[in-house]
Amino acid sequence: PGCGPTPQPGQERHRGVSSPPGGLLICDPEGPQRGGLSIALDQLLEVVHQAGIPYWRLQCHEAELPALLNRLQPAAVLAVGWHTWSEAVVQQARRQAIPVAFWSHGVGCCHLYTARPILGVLRWLARSWQVFQVAGTLRRLQHLVVAYPRVHTLDPRSVDAALARWLGIPISVIPNPVDTQFWHPLGPTEGQRSSVLSIGRLEWQKGHGQAWRIVTRADLVAPKLVCLA
């Protein structure tokens, strides 16, 4: 994937194209794979575009970062997603004294999945060291934006928020939006067929088993389970 200015959300990126300095450089860590982060980015970029803020949606290899930042000269960088190459962008941007904010959708390395206890423990042991990498990246930030409020002290998803508070880094909580023109609260459901919607990759870590348990145990009328993967 190439790098370059993106006048409108979703437009193709082209390598070697630059624009006047002063824009916002936004990392797109998923690229063409189009996961949950990409959908959230689309919503963000729509707002940025409507506000008239010049920006670049970046898909790039780490080796290209120094030359790219020198060419674009962004006023600020928004890195997105832990455990991605966005953290390399943070390090390089700070070397060039560019202000950086980080948009977090939760830290995955400390989460212990209980659906598969043995696999969950092995995964936790294999990835727990990444919390030190998270702390190192946080030290280079001017601001941390999190999508989830910290629920309790031991909430593993918001380890970054706890570390940021300890390091004195400002934090903002901006939940992922819900399109209320499409989604709305249900009315009375007594006697109606109920559906359970489970969203995420078809992997055990995503908790589809919990949706299945709801369908099989809850007192629902002819329940239907829908998995959106």
Side-chain angles (χ1 to χ4, degrees):
C3 311
T6 310
Q8 295 182 354
Q11 183 171 330
E12 292 295 328
R13 277 70 67 185
H14 300 283
R15 186 180 308 278
V17 181
S18 61
S19 67
L24 177 63
L25 184 64
I26 303 175
C27 301
D28 182 0
E30 293 180 327
Q33 297 179 9
R34 300 291 302 164
L37 284 177
S38 298
I39 295 172
L41 264 180
D42 288 344
Q43 296 171 327
L44 169 70
L45 293 178
E46 184 177 352
V47 175
V48 171
H49 180 66
Q50 291 174 355
I53 300 173
Y55 69 90
W56 300 269
R57 185 171 184 167
L58 174 65
Q59 301 171 6
C60 194
H61 298 291
E62 184 175 348
E64 300 171 325
L65 291 176
L68 181 69
L69 291 173
N70 283 329
R71 185 172 75 247
L72 297 181
Q73 299 181 36
V77 170
L78 176 63
V80 182
W82 293 114
H83 319 311
T84 70
W85 56 263
S86 290
E87 296 188 58
V89 177
V90 172
Q91 296 177 14
Q92 188 60 46
R94 293 307 298 145
R95 290 192 187 104
Q96 301 187 22
I98 301 173
V100 181
F102 200 97
W103 189 14
S104 166
H105 287 72
V107 179
C109 62
C110 296
H111 193 86
L112 180 61
Y113 294 99
T114 57
R116 298 286 188 274
I118 296 177
L119 289 176
V121 170
L122 292 175
R123 180 187 181 278
W124 183 85
L125 292 173
R127 296 190 61 186
S128 58
W129 64 271
Q130 291 178 333
V131 71
F132 298 103
Q133 186 178 15
V134 169
T137 301
L138 283 169
R139 292 177 60 250
R140 297 177 171 90
L141 301 182
Q142 274 66 50
H143 204 98
L144 176 66
V145 180
V146 296
Y148 308 105
R150 189 165 175 79
V151 179
H152 53 78
T153 304
L154 299 178
D155 182 5
R157 185 174 54 180
S158 54
V159 168
D160 52 353
L163 290 172
R165 288 192 180 94
W166 183 67
L167 294 170
I169 299 169
I171 304 173
S172 297
V173 179
I174 305 179
N176 291 329
V178 174
D179 186 353
T180 55
Q181 295 181 353
F182 184 81
W183 300 100
H184 56 83
L186 290 174
T189 58
E190 184 176 352
Q192 298 180 10
R193 184 179 184 184
S194 301
S195 297
V196 176
L197 177 63
S198 183
I199 301 175
R201 294 192 305 272
L202 291 178
E203 298 178 359
W204 60 270
Q205 299 101 319
K206 294 301 182 181
H208 293 296
Q210 179 65 19
W212 176 251
R213 286 189 288 272
I214 292 173
V215 168
T216 55
R217 297 180 184 178
D219 186 16
L220 302 176
V221 177
K224 178 175 67 173
L225 174 60
V226 180
C227 288
L228 181 60

